[in-house]
Amino acid sequence: GAGVSQSPRYKVAKRGQDVALRCDPISGHVSLFWYQQALGQGPEFLTYFQNEAQLDKSGLPSDRFFAERPEGSVSTLKIQRTQQEDSAVYLCASSLRADSGIHTGELFFGEGSRLTVL
Amino acid sequence: ILNVEQSPQSLHVQEGDSTNFTCSFPSSNFYALHWYRWETAKSPEALFVMTLNGDEKKKGRISATLNTKEGYSYLYIKGSQPEDSATYLCASKDQTGGGNKLTFGTGTQLKVEL
C-alpha cells in the first residue's frame, strides 16, 4: 500500500509476556520513528532510525524495550516482560529525510498498534 | 526538554461555527511547528509544518499562524463541519535534537455537532 502499515492493530498481552509490533514504512522513506501514546497524553518519542541506523533511542522507557530496522525498511518494536504501564497506542511514522531542507519534514503515521497488558 | 501545551483540551461546536485552538511551546532553539489531525480509527495526518515567525498557512477552511518569539501557534477552522471532528495535535521541534524528533502536546479534541 501507499501508506505506513502497522500490525497488529490490537494486541492483548498478559503481564510478563513478550510482544513484537511491526511497522512497514512508506517505500523510500529514510527516517522512521516510534511514538508511544498513553491514555489522555500526547504521543511521546521512543526512538528514531535513519535507514538501518538507530540514531536516537533516548525515549525508550526501559531496557525491556528494543527496536530494530535491520534492512532499513521494516521496523519491529519489541517489548519484553510487558507490564501494565506499557498499555498504550504505539505509533510508527516515516519521513523522507532526517532534516527538512527543501522538504516539509512532515511525518506520515500508521494507524497505530493498541497494546493492552492485563 | 520541550513542553508543548494545547488548549482547550476539548471543544464542542455547532456546524457552521468558526473555532480556534492554541498551541504554546518554548521559543528558545525553535526549529519547526507541526499540526496534525487525528480522526478516530485513522492515522494522524499532517496539516501544516511551519518554521518562520509570522508565517500563516491555509488549507481549505483551516488556517494556522505562528509566533516563534512568544512561542505560540493558533489553528483556525472556519465554518466547522461534522467531518472536522477529530483530535488536533501540535508538535514542536527544536534545534538541539537530531532528525525530526517532535515533542507533541496532548491535543484538542473537537466535536462538531449538527
mmCIF file of all heavy atoms in Angstrom, chain A residues 34 45-48 54 56-67 77-78:
data_model
loop_
_atom_site.group_PDB
_atom_site.id
_atom_site.type_symbol
_atom_site.label_atom_id
_atom_site.label_comp_id
_atom_site.label_asym_id
_atom_site.label_seq_id
_atom_site.Cartn_x
_atom_site.Cartn_y
_atom_site.Cartn_z
ATOM 1 N N TRP A 34 9.274 5.780 16.237
ATOM 2 C CA TRP A 34 8.278 5.135 17.083
ATOM 3 C C TRP A 34 7.875 6.120 18.181
ATOM 4 O O TRP A 34 8.734 6.751 18.817
ATOM 5 C CB TRP A 34 8.821 3.860 17.720
ATOM 6 C CG TRP A 34 8.916 2.680 16.801
ATOM 7 C CD1 TRP A 34 10.012 2.238 16.132
ATOM 8 C CD2 TRP A 34 7.853 1.770 16.472
ATOM 9 N NE1 TRP A 34 9.709 1.109 15.394
ATOM 10 C CE2 TRP A 34 8.393 0.799 15.590
ATOM 11 C CE3 TRP A 34 6.509 1.668 16.835
ATOM 12 C CZ2 TRP A 34 7.631 -0.253 15.067
ATOM 13 C CZ3 TRP A 34 5.761 0.626 16.315
ATOM 14 C CH2 TRP A 34 6.324 -0.326 15.440
ATOM 15 N N PHE A 45 7.960 10.492 22.089
ATOM 16 C CA PHE A 45 9.018 9.912 21.285
ATOM 17 C C PHE A 45 9.672 8.727 21.985
ATOM 18 O O PHE A 45 9.977 8.781 23.187
ATOM 19 C CB PHE A 45 10.077 10.989 21.013
ATOM 20 C CG PHE A 45 11.332 10.488 20.360
ATOM 21 C CD1 PHE A 45 11.378 10.287 18.990
ATOM 22 C CD2 PHE A 45 12.462 10.214 21.113
ATOM 23 C CE1 PHE A 45 12.545 9.824 18.395
ATOM 24 C CE2 PHE A 45 13.618 9.757 20.522
ATOM 25 C CZ PHE A 45 13.666 9.559 19.157
ATOM 26 N N LEU A 46 9.861 7.642 21.223
ATOM 27 C CA LEU A 46 10.598 6.491 21.736
ATOM 28 C C LEU A 46 11.969 6.379 21.092
ATOM 29 O O LEU A 46 12.989 6.361 21.762
ATOM 30 C CB LEU A 46 9.812 5.197 21.483
ATOM 31 C CG LEU A 46 8.497 5.021 22.242
ATOM 32 C CD1 LEU A 46 7.811 3.733 21.812
ATOM 33 C CD2 LEU A 46 8.729 5.030 23.739
ATOM 34 N N THR A 47 11.976 6.279 19.741
ATOM 35 C CA THR A 47 13.242 6.035 19.069
ATOM 36 C C THR A 47 13.152 6.448 17.613
ATOM 37 O O THR A 47 12.067 6.601 17.073
ATOM 38 C CB THR A 47 13.657 4.556 19.193
ATOM 39 O OG1 THR A 47 14.978 4.366 18.665
ATOM 40 C CG2 THR A 47 12.693 3.633 18.443
ATOM 41 N N TYR A 48 14.344 6.637 16.990
ATOM 42 C CA TYR A 48 14.421 7.134 15.625
ATOM 43 C C TYR A 48 15.504 6.380 14.857
ATOM 44 O O TYR A 48 16.595 6.144 15.375
ATOM 45 C CB TYR A 48 14.747 8.634 15.676
ATOM 46 C CG TYR A 48 15.335 9.218 14.418
ATOM 47 C CD1 TYR A 48 14.613 9.212 13.234
ATOM 48 C CD2 TYR A 48 16.609 9.780 14.418
ATOM 49 C CE1 TYR A 48 15.153 9.754 12.081
ATOM 50 C CE2 TYR A 48 17.152 10.326 13.274
ATOM 51 C CZ TYR A 48 16.420 10.310 12.100
ATOM 52 O OH TYR A 48 16.935 10.842 10.963
ATOM 53 N N GLN A 54 20.050 3.176 14.181
ATOM 54 C CA GLN A 54 19.228 3.728 15.255
ATOM 55 C C GLN A 54 19.992 4.901 15.858
ATOM 56 O O GLN A 54 20.900 4.719 16.670
ATOM 57 C CB GLN A 54 18.938 2.659 16.312
ATOM 58 C CG GLN A 54 17.921 3.084 17.349
ATOM 59 C CD GLN A 54 17.552 1.960 18.319
ATOM 60 O OE1 GLN A 54 18.282 0.984 18.448
ATOM 61 N NE2 GLN A 54 16.424 2.071 18.991
ATOM 62 N N ASP A 56 18.780 7.576 17.636
ATOM 63 C CA ASP A 56 18.317 8.133 18.898
ATOM 64 C C ASP A 56 17.371 7.125 19.540
ATOM 65 O O ASP A 56 16.368 6.768 18.930
ATOM 66 C CB ASP A 56 17.607 9.472 18.664
ATOM 67 C CG ASP A 56 17.256 10.213 19.943
ATOM 68 O OD1 ASP A 56 17.326 9.615 21.037
ATOM 69 O OD2 ASP A 56 16.905 11.400 19.851
ATOM 70 N N LYS A 57 17.718 6.651 20.711
ATOM 71 C CA LYS A 57 16.824 5.755 21.448
ATOM 72 C C LYS A 57 16.581 6.301 22.850
ATOM 73 O O LYS A 57 16.261 5.554 23.778
ATOM 74 C CB LYS A 57 17.348 4.330 21.489
ATOM 75 C CG LYS A 57 18.766 4.166 22.007
ATOM 76 C CD LYS A 57 19.163 2.693 21.940
ATOM 77 C CE LYS A 57 20.566 2.489 22.469
ATOM 78 N NZ LYS A 57 20.982 1.062 22.448
ATOM 79 N N SER A 58 16.714 7.605 22.968
ATOM 80 C CA SER A 58 16.627 8.243 24.282
ATOM 81 C C SER A 58 15.240 8.151 24.909
ATOM 82 O O SER A 58 15.098 8.296 26.121
ATOM 83 C CB SER A 58 17.032 9.719 24.170
ATOM 84 O OG SER A 58 16.159 10.408 23.295
ATOM 85 N N GLY A 59 14.205 7.908 24.092
ATOM 86 C CA GLY A 59 12.857 7.858 24.634
ATOM 87 C C GLY A 59 12.409 6.477 25.093
ATOM 88 O O GLY A 59 11.329 6.357 25.681
ATOM 89 N N LEU A 60 13.184 5.451 24.839
ATOM 90 C CA LEU A 60 12.798 4.107 25.277
ATOM 91 C C LEU A 60 12.757 4.084 26.797
ATOM 92 O O LEU A 60 13.740 4.412 27.455
ATOM 93 C CB LEU A 60 13.770 3.063 24.743
ATOM 94 C CG LEU A 60 13.822 2.909 23.221
ATOM 95 C CD1 LEU A 60 14.885 1.912 22.802
ATOM 96 C CD2 LEU A 60 12.455 2.491 22.678
ATOM 97 N N PRO A 61 11.605 3.700 27.388
ATOM 98 C CA PRO A 61 11.435 3.869 28.833
ATOM 99 C C PRO A 61 12.247 2.921 29.700
ATOM 100 O O PRO A 61 12.503 3.236 30.861
ATOM 101 C CB PRO A 61 9.926 3.652 29.044
ATOM 102 C CG PRO A 61 9.450 2.917 27.850
ATOM 103 C CD PRO A 61 10.360 3.247 26.725
ATOM 104 N N SER A 62 12.634 1.788 29.172
ATOM 105 C CA SER A 62 13.441 0.852 29.960
ATOM 106 C C SER A 62 14.154 -0.102 29.029
ATOM 107 O O SER A 62 13.916 -0.107 27.821
ATOM 108 C CB SER A 62 12.542 0.071 30.932
ATOM 109 O OG SER A 62 11.831 -0.944 30.247
ATOM 110 N N ASP A 63 15.030 -0.923 29.605
ATOM 111 C CA ASP A 63 15.758 -1.890 28.770
ATOM 112 C C ASP A 63 14.865 -3.044 28.335
ATOM 113 O O ASP A 63 15.322 -3.960 27.648
ATOM 114 C CB ASP A 63 17.020 -2.392 29.477
ATOM 115 C CG ASP A 63 16.712 -3.058 30.807
ATOM 116 O OD1 ASP A 63 15.516 -3.251 31.125
ATOM 117 O OD2 ASP A 63 17.666 -3.370 31.544
ATOM 118 N N ARG A 64 13.591 -3.002 28.708
ATOM 119 C CA ARG A 64 12.668 -4.020 28.186
ATOM 120 C C ARG A 64 12.210 -3.684 26.768
ATOM 121 O O ARG A 64 11.631 -4.529 26.100
ATOM 122 C CB ARG A 64 11.442 -4.137 29.104
ATOM 123 C CG ARG A 64 11.751 -4.616 30.525
ATOM 124 C CD ARG A 64 10.476 -4.823 31.331
ATOM 125 N NE ARG A 64 9.728 -3.587 31.557
ATOM 126 C CZ ARG A 64 8.634 -3.236 30.901
ATOM 127 N NH1 ARG A 64 8.132 -4.028 29.968
ATOM 128 N NH2 ARG A 64 8.022 -2.101 31.189
ATOM 129 N N PHE A 65 12.473 -2.458 26.361
ATOM 130 C CA PHE A 65 12.058 -2.002 25.037
ATOM 131 C C PHE A 65 13.252 -2.056 24.096
ATOM 132 O O PHE A 65 14.332 -1.556 24.409
ATOM 133 C CB PHE A 65 11.529 -0.561 25.109
ATOM 134 C CG PHE A 65 10.172 -0.426 25.726
ATOM 135 C CD1 PHE A 65 9.983 -0.619 27.085
ATOM 136 C CD2 PHE A 65 9.083 -0.086 24.943
ATOM 137 C CE1 PHE A 65 8.733 -0.484 27.665
ATOM 138 C CE2 PHE A 65 7.823 0.053 25.509
ATOM 139 C CZ PHE A 65 7.652 -0.146 26.865
ATOM 140 N N PHE A 66 12.991 -2.622 22.922
ATOM 141 C CA PHE A 66 14.056 -2.779 21.941
ATOM 142 C C PHE A 66 13.464 -2.585 20.549
ATOM 143 O O PHE A 66 12.393 -3.081 20.258
ATOM 144 C CB PHE A 66 14.675 -4.183 22.076
ATOM 145 C CG PHE A 66 15.636 -4.542 21.002
ATOM 146 C CD1 PHE A 66 16.919 -4.023 21.009
ATOM 147 C CD2 PHE A 66 15.275 -5.403 19.980
ATOM 148 C CE1 PHE A 66 17.824 -4.356 20.016
ATOM 149 C CE2 PHE A 66 16.169 -5.735 18.970
ATOM 150 C CZ PHE A 66 17.443 -5.211 18.993
ATOM 151 N N ALA A 67 14.146 -1.829 19.698
ATOM 152 C CA ALA A 67 13.660 -1.611 18.343
ATOM 153 C C ALA A 67 14.771 -1.895 17.360
ATOM 154 O O ALA A 67 15.951 -1.704 17.653
ATOM 155 C CB ALA A 67 13.162 -0.178 18.173
ATOM 156 N N LEU A 77 9.274 -3.139 16.930
ATOM 157 C CA LEU A 77 9.421 -2.687 18.317
ATOM 158 C C LEU A 77 9.068 -3.878 19.202
ATOM 159 O O LEU A 77 7.977 -4.431 19.098
ATOM 160 C CB LEU A 77 8.494 -1.513 18.613
ATOM 161 C CG LEU A 77 8.482 -0.994 20.049
ATOM 162 C CD1 LEU A 77 9.818 -0.359 20.410
ATOM 163 C CD2 LEU A 77 7.359 0.021 20.250
ATOM 164 N N LYS A 78 10.017 -4.279 20.027
ATOM 165 C CA LYS A 78 9.806 -5.439 20.894
ATOM 166 C C LYS A 78 9.760 -4.975 22.341
ATOM 167 O O LYS A 78 10.590 -4.158 22.771
ATOM 168 C CB LYS A 78 10.934 -6.458 20.700
ATOM 169 C CG LYS A 78 10.981 -7.037 19.296
ATOM 170 C CD LYS A 78 12.125 -8.019 19.127
ATOM 171 C CE LYS A 78 12.145 -8.580 17.710
ATOM 172 N NZ LYS A 78 13.290 -9.499 17.477
#
